[in-house]
Amino acid sequence: MNRLSRVSIAAFALAAGAALTGCVVAPVGPYYGEPVVTAPPPPQVEAVPVAPYPGWLWIGGYWTWQANRHVWVGGHWAAPRPGWRYVPHRWDPGPRGWREAPGRWERR
């Protein structure tokens, strides 16, 4: 094998290795909308800190379902999005349990 072939193979192996470094294998968790038998607890009271910039929107915390239990996710500030409004996270009761609907931005 000549020197050019060895350099080409080494360059290919290096490029393939670099491409695979961004791969992440994560376990499959619960999906939004799957029914949960246990109702979420009442929302926690949060102390809202001063906004980082004028006009920013406070997105309040919410309960989510992780590892078979409700887990509190604290609120945060978000930059305004002209022409959009924020629809808060919510839990909807149904015949088979509670369904989680994530918060989202939607056009006005």
Side-chain angles (χ1 to χ4, degrees):
M1 191 184 301
N2 66 25
R3 187 174 186 333
L4 183 59
S5 298
R6 280 185 265 170
V7 171
S8 297
I9 291 171
F12 175 77
L14 183 62
L20 292 175
T21 60
C23 294
V24 175
V25 177
V28 175
Y31 299 100
Y32 282 117
E34 283 186 4
V36 173
V37 178
T38 309
Q44 291 187 6
V45 176
E46 293 182 299
V48 180
V50 175
Y53 301 99
W56 277 43
L57 171 72
W58 175 254
I59 296 177
Y62 59 90
W63 290 103
T64 190
W65 187 254
Q66 290 180 358
N68 295 321
R69 65 187 181 98
H70 288 286
V71 176
W72 182 255
V73 176
H76 64 278
W77 287 103
R81 296 179 66 180
W84 294 76
R85 72 180 188 98
Y86 186 77
V87 178
H89 190 98
R90 70 178 193 281
W91 283 88
D92 298 320
R96 293 185 13 214
W98 291 83
R99 290 190 181 268
E100 186 175 10
R104 66 188 186 283
W105 290 94
E106 67 179 29
R107 288 193 182 277
R108 290 182 189 211

